[in-house]
Each structure stands twice: as structure tokens, then as C-alpha cells.
Amino acid sequence: MKNINDYRKEISALKKSLLAIASLTSIGFLPLAQAADQTHEKSYSDQAQDDRWYVAPFGSFVRTGGDRKASDGWGGGMGVGKMLDKHFNVELKGFYEGFGGTNGPWSLAGGTADLQYYFFRDKFSPYAVVGAGGMNSCASANCGAGFIGEAGAGFTYELHDNFSLRSDVRYRYNNNLNAQVQPGTDEFHDMTVNVGFVIPFGDKPKRVERIEPVVAATVAPARDCSTLDVDADGVNDCLDRCPGTIKGSKINNSGCPVRLVLKGQHFKYDSAELTLNAQTILDDVAQGLVSYPQKNDIEVQGHTSSEGSDNYNMKLSQQRAQSVVDYLKMKGVTNKLMAKGYGETQPIADNNTEAGKSENRRVELIWIED
């Protein structure tokens, strides 16, 4: 004869085994679901959303817990549900189950509201389920109503657009809320195995065939580079090795600058300080050298008119050349820049006229050929 401690041990063992079965069954579907969801994602996305209502009759095998002091039993029921999207169903389910026990025959009648999560939907579709509801329990003539909660996992297998087989295994918790249907406890722990089928109403949404738009390829007409001169330096783009030639520079046959003469009033009177006009001109020069860098070294030459002594003019021209070098470096020019003053030794116009003297007061940038 078993005592109360023996029954408690049996109840505890059954709780653990039922929870383990439900948990392992759900976990076992996860790797399959993750891999299959990637495989079936494209095929599902190509079909219209299935949101039909359905009925789902089923039969049940009940593995009772030791707390009922009852044998295993059988039952059945019916569910009515709706497919919400590619993952979720909601379902209302009613059932009746019966089995024998030491205190007389048991009968269980109840219902749940279920939420089913489908890992993916295809011919074979695994899912996890949770449910909550109420149940009336009778052991012989002693009856009482209580709360039930269920959790488990299962699958459907589609045989036709309007007919699928379905099976799941569930852990059920039942609390009879002090009804004392079974002396000594109001909590019961059972396992149910349900087998049935699903009958959706209406036609299954058909796959949407994707029609890729035909885009006519447009071929841009070939541009003849020999007729183009983007930097307007007189050398066509086919031959131009130096695109973006600095405006005003003299170039060679390859379109690369070799000499740039900066004329005008670039320095304050009797000084090496650059005027605002000179800075504006040098900004354009620096931008050209940075945007289209040529690695040639550049000699920055300073020249003066014949006014003043030779020594003074030589010193002033060197200082002015150095001012230009310093400004260009400050603006980010990376070429090697060398300042050299020539004073009045290399006139390009007559120093006897004011116009000639103005021509001779200049700064020149000379690109040194490799």
C-alpha cells in the first residue's frame, strides 16, 4: 500500500518528465525551423497570405499524473481557428476526456484559447503552442471547475489544399480552485497526445508569379575623345596627360603645364607681403595643383624691375618667391617647391617704360622636367 510520500514522489517525477518532454520537443524543432525558414522564405514570400478559417477535429490520448490516482485515458474534441500570418494561428478548442481511477471514473470537459507559432509553413509545418482555458473535472459524482494551461509542440502535414493531418504533444496544468475533486490536492499535471486533421474553408491563395520587368539596355554613344578638350588647354583629351590644366599656364605637347607667369600687383609696395588679389589668384593655382597633382618639382621664381640697387632687388625677389612658396604649402600643395630670386637679371620687357617695368615685376612657376 503506497503512502502519501510515495504519491508525492510519483507526482514530482511525472511533472519533471512531462516538462522535459514538452521542452525538448519544442527545442528539437528550433534548428530545423531556423534552417528550413531560410529555405522556405522565398517560396512563402512568392505566395499570397493564407488567412483562412478552419475546423480541426482530433482524438486524444491522456497520460495522467500520479496526483489523480487514475489510469491513462482517451478523448477527443474540435477546434475552430484562423491563420493570421506566415507564423501565427489562433484557435478555440473544446474537448472531452475520460479514464478510470481509484475513486471512480474520471471525466474532463473543457476548452482553451490557443496561440500557435509556426516556424515555417510548407507541406510539413512544425509549430509550438500555448493555451489557457477552463475545465470541469468529475471523479465519480464529485465535480468541480478549474483553470488549465497547456504548452507543447506539433506539426501539420498537408495532403491537399483543404486537408492536413495534425498532431501535437502537450503538457497540461490543472488547478481546481479548492473544489476538492480529488481529496488532498487541487493541482494536476497531465500529458495529452492529440491526433487529428485540419480543414480550411475556401480556396487556398495561389502563388503569385513574379514577372521581372524587361529593361531595355541603353548604350550610350561612344564619345570621340579627339573632339573633346575638357580643360580647354588646346590639347584634346586623347592626348592630354594632365587633365585640369591650371588656367593661364603654358603647356607642352602632352597638355602638362611647364610655366605659369603671375603678373600684376601681387605684393604691397616695397614688400614681400601678398595682396588680397594675389591670394585669390594663388588659391586657384593651389586648387589646380591639389586636384590634379603632378609630381614634378616646381621652382618659384621672383623677378623685379630695374628700380633700386641690384642687391636690394635680388633680396626682395627672393623674399617674394618665398612668400608664394609658403602660401601654396599652406593651401595643401605637396609638390616640392623651391623659391629662387632673380632680381632684375631676367627682364622680359623694357625697363625704360612704366609698362615694361610692370611686366618685369612678376612671379613665375616653372615645372622641372624629370
Side-chain angles (χ1 to χ4, degrees), residues 286-308:
Q287 183 178 356
L289 290 172
V290 172
S291 300
Y292 301 95
Q294 293 169 253
K295 298 307 178 183
N296 305 63
D297 296 344
I298 299 176
E299 183 178 88
V300 179
Q301 301 179 352
H303 300 273
T304 69
S305 64
S306 61
E307 294 175 306

Side-chain angles (χ1 to χ4, degrees), residues 109-158:
T112 60
D114 291 355
L115 179 65
Q116 300 164 1
Y117 176 82
Y118 283 80
F119 299 103
F120 60 86
R121 295 193 193 262
D122 209 319
K123 195 175 186 68
F124 172 79
S125 304
Y127 65 89
V129 60
V130 293
M135 183 172 71
N136 186 63
S137 303
C138 293
S140 190
N142 191 18
C143 297
F147 165 81
I148 61 173
E150 296 184 342
F155 68 90
T156 63
Y157 187 83
E158 186 179 77

Side-chain angles (χ1 to χ4, degrees), residues 80-217:
V80 177
K82 190 176 192 304
M83 307 173 198
L84 299 180
D85 56 30
K86 71 175 184 177
H87 286 302
F88 288 100
N89 283 16
V90 291
E91 184 175 320
L92 295 178
K93 180 188 69 174
F95 62 87
Y96 177 84
E97 298 162 355
F99 40 84
T102 57
N103 295 326
W106 283 79
S107 63
L108 310 177
T112 60
D114 291 355
L115 179 65
Q116 300 164 1
Y117 176 82
Y118 283 80
F119 299 103
F120 60 86
R121 295 193 193 262
D122 209 319
K123 195 175 186 68
F124 172 79
S125 304
Y127 65 89
V129 60
V130 293
M135 183 172 71
N136 186 63
S137 303
C138 293
S140 190
N142 191 18
C143 297
F147 165 81
I148 61 173
E150 296 184 342
F155 68 90
T156 63
Y157 187 83
E158 186 179 77
L159 298 178
H160 186 269
D161 285 352
N162 293 86
F163 189 86
S164 297
L165 298 178
R166 186 171 79 175
S167 179
D168 60 40
V169 56
R170 304 186 183 203
Y171 160 75
R172 177 191 294 161
Y173 169 76
N174 173 213
N175 190 316
N176 280 335
L177 307 175
N178 297 318
Q180 293 295 306
V181 175
Q182 173 71 35
T185 182
D186 281 308
E187 292 187 340
F188 304 97
H189 305 268
D190 305 311
M191 181 178 72
T192 63
V193 179
N194 304 304
V195 178
F197 46 89
V198 178
I199 305 173
F201 299 121
D203 295 332
K204 182 177 181 179
K206 299 300 181 183
R207 183 185 299 274
V208 177
E209 296 295 337
R210 290 184 176 180
I211 301 176
E212 298 295 337
V214 178
V215 180

Side-chain angles (χ1 to χ4, degrees), residues 283-328:
D283 285 342
D284 292 337
V285 173
Q287 183 178 356
L289 290 172
V290 172
S291 300
Y292 301 95
Q294 293 169 253
K295 298 307 178 183
N296 305 63
D297 296 344
I298 299 176
E299 183 178 88
V300 179
Q301 301 179 352
H303 300 273
T304 69
S305 64
S306 61
E307 294 175 306
S309 66
D310 292 348
N311 289 337
Y312 181 80
N313 287 336
M314 188 66 70
K315 181 179 179 181
L316 181 60
S317 65
Q318 178 68 34
Q319 292 172 344
R320 288 179 171 180
Q322 188 63 50
S323 292
V324 173
V325 167
D326 294 342
Y327 191 84
L328 292 177

